[in-house]
Amino acid sequence: MSLAILDAREWQQVVDLRTGRPREARGPVVDMVGALLGRHPFPGDRDNQSNDWVTDTALDLIARYDPRFAFLSFSEQYYSWRYSPLTPAEREARLDGAFAAVERFARESGFTVVVVGTGELVPAAVPVDLEGLDGLAVSSNWCAHYAGLYSLSDRDRALLAAHPGLARVVSRQDILTLFDGRPGDEERLPESMAVTREGHFFKGTSLRRLYMIPQPSPVVPVSSNLGPVASITDIRAAIVKLLETQKVALALVEGVGCAGFRLPYTACANGRDWFAYEPGDGQFLALSKGAHSLFEHNGGYRYYQDDTDSKPYPYSGFFTEIPTGTIGEAIPGRSIAVGNRSMFMHVLTGCDVTCECFARNLYNQGVMAVVHRQDKA
């Protein structure tokens, strides 16, 4: 049973992660994690101490849990660039801070740190409005470039084909073919998917004004200490191999591609053909599972169909189950995940113990830790 510990500064509650119901739970790991949360209140998504919070919390957790693998996300600059009107110099300073936090973690932990950039951000130029369609358009708040399309009329198809902000409209079969789909994989795919041109984004995909959006990037940088990798789906296997001889951390620095990466790197594919991952759940899952995840999670799925009174995992966003086959689940040794990406760390990494901000739409509601495993020696 996975337990979640919610901390809102001077108040804590342990709950069953699946049901969300309060639960009495004690034990060495649960008690240790609860005390750790009290020492590390989250400063906020766009606070310039947010990335230092990741490093501080991870180092504290390593000192007490002694993991062999750590999965980290450094995302403050991604949120600040996306939702704040920063100057180029201010953006560079935020990115410098992210890499400084990564370097400090590497220096003080002794881990080999493999750093991955999740792709460039570009100015949010032109919104694409699909509200006038006869059919339905669906896009996730975490997705600017992809929208699922349902029940399109002939009029809709003509409008979409001529839309200046769209790069293409692809069918469900196109997606299945591109990602080597098998029977049954189509269940969560939209009937069609609309793809915007660079700088365009789907109107209504954010509750706040967007200043920058993901490109998304066809290739992303991976620090050269991992060795050559052809695709983000190759990173997991290379890390597992590296773990045979040393302690390893995978650190995602969000919002940066090859142009702004601060370390020697190898460029690897960030998708296939016309599809490139944006920073988000699909990209995290592809890295964690070592396989493309479009059939499980994509920006065009009608997630509202799962939003019922009996929905499991109420603290895990739109997820109705914890994905299996993730990197933390596969590693026999102890593992942790710490990041300022809410929900992603406990859902998508599979690590024994995770610690993340509990923030919704940039509102800071505290910190949440999840204990998936307490039985590893």
Side-chain angles (χ1 to χ4, degrees):
M1 175 188 297
S2 296
L3 299 174
I5 307 171
L6 310 174
D7 186 288
R9 303 196 187 195
E10 302 182 2
W11 175 89
Q12 280 192 4
Q13 177 69 65
V14 179
V15 302
D16 180 317
L17 182 66
R18 188 181 190 283
T19 66
R21 294 172 182 163
R23 182 177 178 84
E24 292 293 329
R26 299 296 301 271
V29 176
V30 172
D31 293 348
M32 177 271 292
V33 173
L36 179 140
L37 297 189
R39 292 193 295 273
H40 298 284
F42 183 62
D45 287 310
R46 294 183 288 178
D47 190 286
N48 60 13
Q49 297 300 309
S50 179
N51 286 328
D52 284 326
W53 174 87
V54 175
T55 292
D56 292 338
T57 305
L59 290 171
D60 197 349
L61 186 52
I62 285 170
R64 287 159 176 79
Y65 188 65
D66 191 25
R68 190 161 185 82
F69 172 70
F71 195 129
L72 311 175
S73 74
F74 294 86
S75 306
E76 179 274 321
Q77 67 287 343
Y78 171 77
Y79 287 114
S80 292
W81 294 349
R82 187 163 180 162
Y83 296 111
S84 304
L86 302 180
T87 66
E90 289 171 329
R91 291 198 296 270
E92 287 297 303
R94 299 279 181 158
L95 187 56
D96 288 341
F99 277 92
V102 172
E103 191 278 331
R104 181 165 66 88
F105 172 84
R107 183 177 68 252
E108 297 184 20
S109 69
F111 278 51
T112 295
V113 182
V114 175
V115 185
V116 178
T118 62
E120 304 286 355
L121 297 186
V122 296
V126 184
V128 175
D129 188 352
L130 298 183
E131 293 179 358
L133 296 178
D134 299 324
L136 175 67
V138 177
S139 190
S140 163
N141 286 340
W142 296 331
C143 186
H145 286 274
Y146 305 105
L149 304 171
Y150 300 86
S151 302
L152 295 179
S153 66
D154 290 340
R155 169 184 168 274
D156 291 340
R157 293 186 180 89
L159 288 172
L160 293 168
H163 200 295
L166 296 182
R168 58 178 48 85
V169 175
V170 297
S171 69
R172 176 183 290 163
Q173 186 57 53
D174 291 334
I175 300 171
L176 286 166
T177 300
L178 180 62
F179 287 97
D180 306 318
R182 296 174 294 180
D185 284 340
E186 73 281 354
E187 182 178 345
R188 297 176 70 89
L189 291 176
E191 294 171 8
S192 302
M193 181 178 284
V195 184
T196 66
R197 299 186 186 279
E198 182 176 318
H200 295 69
F201 60 96
F202 288 110
K203 183 179 179 181
T205 59
S206 175
L207 299 178
R208 294 176 179 267
R209 178 179 175 182
L210 293 172
Y211 290 92
M212 300 190 78
I213 55 174
Q215 194 170 20
S217 305
V219 297
V220 292
V222 183
S223 57
S224 56
N225 59 350
L226 184 61
V229 286
S231 167
I232 63 169
T233 56
D234 299 332
I235 292 172
R236 169 182 158 147
I239 285 178
V240 170
K241 180 68 175 176
L242 203 58
L243 279 164
E244 294 175 1
T245 58
Q246 52 203 288
K247 293 182 177 181
V248 181
L250 171 61
L252 305 191
V253 179
E254 296 219 65
V256 61
C258 296
F261 205 66
R262 300 292 197 259
L263 301 169
Y265 68 87
T266 299
C268 69
N270 185 39
R272 285 186 181 177
D273 193 25
W274 55 264
F275 180 85
Y277 289 102
E278 296 184 47
D281 55 324
Q283 188 183 54
F284 270 65
L285 199 55
L287 285 160
S288 182
K289 297 187 75 167
H292 292 294
S293 60
L294 213 62
F295 302 135
E296 296 176 82
H297 299 282
N298 60 80
Y301 176 63
R302 291 178 289 184
Y303 295 106
Y304 60 83
Q305 295 183 138
D306 300 329
D307 193 13
T308 65
D309 291 341
S310 59
K311 176 191 174 298
Y313 299 100
Y315 294 104
S316 303
F318 57 72
F319 291 90
T320 57
E321 60 185 13
I322 302 299
T324 59
T326 48
I327 187 169
E329 184 183 62
I331 292 170
R334 289 184 174 186
S335 60
I336 65 167
V338 180
N340 41 15
R341 263 288 204 167
S342 190
M343 297 177 290
F344 284 13
M345 308 315 291
H346 82 266
V347 173
L348 305 175
T349 69
C351 292
D352 307 343
V353 179
T354 70
C355 187
E356 64 197 41
C357 61
F358 192 85
R360 299 293 184 271
N361 298 317
L362 303 184
Y363 291 109
N364 181 10
Q365 300 176 37
V367 182
M368 184 170 84
V370 170
V371 179
H372 287 305
R373 296 284 298 271
Q374 303 183 59
D375 58 341
K376 290 186 179 179

